[in-house]
Amino acid sequence: MLRRLETHVHKTADATFQAATPTVRGRLVQKDYSTKTFVAPTSQEGLYFVNKDNYPTGLLSLEGELSDYDSRLENVSAGEFAVLEKPMAGEVYGTDQIELNGLVEGDYLAAETAGATAGQLVKSTNPTQFKFRGTKVDNGHTLGRVEIL
């Protein structure tokens, strides 16, 4: 899940890239310009949050109200287009794609670059552009508040 808690309005978002592999909303990714896909990060440079429009289509639209946390709206399949948001200084996001265990408000965060959790935010001992600012409960789900420096 990705929530915009304090963000700049009317900033550009890129919806022209497809997922190279399955992922979820709220993860950090990098663009691969040669294939026009977004991929799990291999470094801390050029990071974007994955977001997805919450508009049920097809049979989903017949189900009535759906939770924003419905896995069919959260998951991004390989080959599916998604919205890539470039975090900017001064913004605060809420995401469940963060390892909250052991975090203290003010800790630096970095994008995991390996394994099944690649793209999730984890505690960093080095200064980064991401800082942990506590948690927020959203509709019964705990999100980590991430400030962009």
Side-chain angles (χ1 to χ4, degrees), residues 27-124:
R27 286 229 177 156
L28 289 162
V29 295
Q30 292 173 319
K31 292 178 179 179
D32 182 341
Y33 288 94
S34 64
T35 61
K36 290 295 274 183
T37 60
F38 54 89
V39 296
T42 57
S43 71
Q44 303 303 309
E45 302 295 321
L47 297 172
Y48 294 81
F49 277 115
V50 173
N51 208 348
K52 186 175 172 179
D53 288 331
N54 253 4
Y55 301 111
T57 58
L59 294 176
L60 278 179
S61 64
L62 299 175
E63 292 187 30
E65 287 189 39
L66 291 173
S67 168
D68 286 348
Y69 289 90
D70 188 297
S71 63
R72 296 169 295 179
L73 299 175
E74 282 287 287
N75 296 331
V76 178
S77 304
E80 184 178 355
F81 287 95
V83 178
L84 302 182
E85 288 192 31
K86 181 71 173 164
M88 297 173 61
E91 295 184 319
V92 179
Y93 287 87
T95 183
D96 60 359
Q97 297 301 304
I98 184 171
E99 177 53 56
L100 293 172
N101 291 329
L103 283 180
V104 176
E105 189 166 345
D107 283 345
Y108 284 103
L109 302 167
E112 181 65 61
T113 57
T117 59
Q120 288 186 355
L121 287 163
V122 295
K123 185 175 180 174
S124 174

Side-chain angles (χ1 to χ4, degrees), residues 1-31:
M1 171 53 66
L2 184 69
R3 292 283 194 222
R4 296 176 197 96
L5 302 178
E6 299 172 30
T7 58
H8 301 289
V9 295
H10 306 302
K11 73 177 186 177
T12 316
D14 191 346
T16 64
F17 283 71
Q18 295 174 291
T21 58
T23 190
V24 294
R25 217 168 20 162
R27 286 229 177 156
L28 289 162
V29 295
Q30 292 173 319
K31 292 178 179 179

